[in-house]
Amino acid sequence: MSAILSVRDLVTGFDTDAGRVIAVDRVSFDVPEGKTLGIVGESGCGKSVTAFSITRLLPQPHGKILGGSIMFGDRDLTKLPHEEMRKLRGNEISMIFQEPMTALNPVQTVGKQLAEAILLHNEKCRKAEVLSRSIELMKKVRIPAPEQRLNEYPHQLSGGMRQRVMIAMALINTPKLLIADEPTTALDVTVQAQILDLMKDLQREMGMSIVLITHDLGVIAETCDEVVVMYGGRIVERAEVKQLFAQPRHAYTQGLLSSIPRLDSTPKTRLKAIPGNVPSITEFRTGCRFADRSGREHTSEQLNNRSPFIEVTPGHWVENCGACVS
Amino acid sequence: MSLLTVQNLRQHFPVRGGVFHRAVASVKAVDGVSFSLNEGETLGLVGESGCGKTTLGKAVVRLLNPSAGSINFQGNDITHASMSSLRPLRRDMQMIFQDPAESLNPRHTVRDILAEPFIVQKLGTRVEHTRWVAELLEKVGLPSSAGDKFPFEFSGGQRQRIGIARAIALKPKLIVCDEPVSALDVSVQSQVLNLLLDLQREMGLSYLFIAHGLSVVKHMSDRVAVMYLGKIVELAPSEELYHNPKHAYTKALLDTIPIPNPSKRRGRQLLQGDVPSPINPPPGCAFGHRMKHPAWEKSVGMDLSLTEVAPGHWVQPCPCCT
Ligand SMILES: Nc1ncnc2c1ncn2[C@@H]1O[C@H](COP(=O)(O)OP(=O)(O)OP(=O)(O)O)[C@@H](O)[C@H]1O
Ligand SMILES: Nc1ncnc2c1ncn2[C@@H]1O[C@H](COP(=O)(O)OP(=O)(O)OP(=O)(O)O)[C@@H](O)[C@H]1O
Ligand SMILES: [Mg+2]
Ligand SMILES: [Mg+2]
């Protein structure tokens, strides 16, 4: 299986008043061509920073890629000049964000914003053509009565509709890679299901690869082919989706999978819980970051030195902490 | 025995407009809801955003003035109880909110926040307050040192524990839990759910447990009510609702839950359209209307009060969805 994107030893940090913090700490993964890679993990574990590193949209001037490579074909995105990166974004790589309301301009009609986005990458496009492309895109993301919707403002659309418009914008130039950062978190369960289905359909139609960021393991199970599990700025485990759910190897993945209530569990029974809280970036250890919550005895070696990321079975990788991986 | 009985409850909000700021329409947030809740029981409440869950919860504990219908709590009609007669009631009914950060005063220490209910109710001395606060902290699994800190010094999960401690301070009978874990990290959610289960067992609490995720609600509840556009369309014991849903909306809702098992991917029946607005709800069955069901018209003008189709299993008897 060939990869459309290969991330190797990516390190991304921020320079803050209190010094430099490392938000993404040597992560490596591949996005398989035409497939969906899920990135799952809890608040602050570095999912968005990973996505912004790939698209080079890190908050400036504080966010910096400090090491590693991001290969997209034969180009290393970490080294691409800004101008070239700008061309690549919206053409070959597109991104959709969690909060569609903040990404859309509230005082412009949907049609105007779509038209601008179309013209941004195809300056010579004629007016009539822009309109027909806009309508075509709206249809593609299954928005009913598109001609009419184009004249409306974002606040006149429901959350699900707005997210569809965002997806339409991301699809303008038929990207090879779509990065979706929590595209459904702000939406209702029923609308979430519609949007995820739409993304799957579009993937089938257009053959694009998707990176889907979420903290919902159910969403991962239903939509992804490969999964990366992040904890405290690192990848603790990475595997094909069925393998990950059937045989999780890292204590964090195991804990996460057994702590979520399931429809087939017996009501009102205690759940298995992971004790403690998600660590904050200023208290990250050099060694195993899950140690304090794992309930497992760690040696000082395991606490103070990072264990290698190894392939335990073909395609199944884990940060091989002797205490957390058994 | 039934602790709480709600009958035909309506909570409408005026929509104002025009130069005179007159009520030009109304939001029928809760539009004819009936249910009862027993001592020590949990009734789950699910439904899409805007269907009226929070409004129903607030109306039940009388943070709102209901427009119509009745609420009977421990044998007393409290539907229109005045502010002064509500004060003693506040001891027995409490609410936990979705966002723990917003519901805790950021300028007060945790000790002040937890002592406040005693002060408001004029209970105990300062020495007793200190002891009670320490007991509360222990009960919700926070260190006693937490008392001297401010809410922002805690993680989301810990803040929700503080919210829970405040809610149980006066040993209430009923707690409305409005999305108590939605804002929390996944690995911390189960801790808080376990705490709620433990406290219920220890203190014999009744919960009205609100969430929009059906798996969490099903896990926490003895019975579950499914709400759609201001109305309950189905109410049944948890397992029964999950294994044997009768209303088309419940089925659709069950279908949308992402199952954390990649070997069980389903082709699903997706809901079309968006959640409708409660300002001008369609006549008859609102869900049949959304689905453009051919039999919807027959539901217009029908009595759509819930009917019992199996022991404890109640469904809205519309020709389009059941
Ligand atoms: N502009 C910034 N300056 C300093 N630190 C930042 C900045 N942006 C993010 N961080 C830190 O980087 C870490 C990773 O953040 P990131 O946004 O990637 O988390 P996430 O996994 O996307 O979480 P969520 O699920 O909440 O979206 C966090 O600890 C965050 O505090
Ligand atoms: N004070 C108010 N004034 C006017 N309308 C209101 C008021 N409170 C709620 N509403 C409206 O009543 C309806 C029900 O709102 P409610 O907050 O109860 O929904 P919900 O089911 O809790 O939704 P969510 O899942 O998003 O929390 C919505 O249309 C809302 O806009
Ligand atoms: Mg994020
Ligand atoms: Mg609500």
Side-chain angles (χ1 to χ4, degrees), chain B residues 49-296:
Chain B
S49 185
C51 72
K53 305 180 296 294
T54 298
T55 307
L56 177 58
K58 284 184 176 167
V60 161
V61 297
R62 285 299 322 278
L63 294 173
L64 296 169
N65 288 316
S67 317
S70 72
I71 306 166
N72 192 296
F73 182 69
Q74 294 185 301
N76 301 313
D77 185 340
I78 61 160
T79 324
H80 303 291
S82 63
M83 271 313 199
S84 58
S85 54
L86 276 174
R87 175 142 34 109
L89 263 176
R90 292 269 169 262
R91 280 195 190 196
D92 289 331
M93 2 174 60
Q94 288 288 327
M95 187 152 175
I96 299 172
F97 298 91
Q98 167 164 5
D99 192 340
E102 261 173 55
S103 63
L104 302 174
N105 188 332
R107 285 184 300 273
H108 286 182
T109 63
V110 169
R111 175 164 298 114
D112 293 341
I113 290 171
L114 295 182
E116 192 190 303
F118 304 120
I119 295 168
V120 171
Q121 296 287 344
K122 302 195 174 65
L123 294 172
T125 60
R126 289 191 54 171
V127 181
E128 279 172 311
H129 294 172
T130 310
R131 197 179 78 228
W132 291 341
V133 167
E135 284 169 8
L136 282 171
L137 287 173
E138 193 187 325
K139 205 161 207 153
V140 297
L142 288 172
S144 54
S145 61
D148 301 321
K149 296 189 184 161
F150 292 89
F152 67 84
E153 297 179 78
F154 294 90
S155 70
Q158 288 169 326
R159 277 198 291 260
Q160 196 55 291
R161 285 173 193 270
I162 299 167
I164 293 171
R166 183 179 55 182
I168 62 169
L170 301 167
K171 303 202 168 61
K173 300 268 175 6
L174 167 70
I175 301 181
V176 172
C177 309
D178 189 7
E179 312 244 9
V181 297
S182 312
L184 304 181
D185 275 314
V186 188
S187 68
V188 178
Q189 288 185 6
S190 49
Q191 298 172 11
V192 172
L193 294 176
N194 282 343
L195 174 63
L196 288 170
L197 287 171
D198 292 347
L199 290 173
Q200 176 167 53
R201 221 162 285 143
E202 261 169 57
M203 307 174 62
L205 295 165
S206 302
Y207 291 139
L208 182 61
F209 188 93
I210 300 173
H212 54 252
L214 201 49
S215 21
V216 172
V217 167
K218 191 218 160 212
H219 188 84
M220 294 300 288
S221 309
D222 299 285
R223 293 183 299 145
V224 175
V226 179
M227 228 176 142
Y228 188 76
L229 206 62
K231 295 193 163 75
I232 291 177
V233 294
E234 186 160 5
L235 194 162
S238 296
E239 293 282 8
E240 166 80 4
L241 187 88
Y242 165 57
H243 288 292
N244 201 8
K246 295 283 189 227
H247 195 277
Y249 181 62
T250 311
K251 290 178 189 169
L253 213 52
L254 280 166
D255 246 4
T256 59
I257 302 167
I259 305 286
N261 181 349
S263 310
K264 277 199 192 155
R265 286 189 190 174
R266 314 148 295 173
R268 43 188 176 190
Q269 215 46 46
L270 278 190
L271 275 183
Q272 298 306 312
D274 290 298
V275 189
S277 148
I279 294 187
N280 277 314
C285 169
F287 188 65
H289 182 265
R290 169 166 169 189
M291 301 313 281
K292 302 192 173 70
H293 196 282
W296 164 74

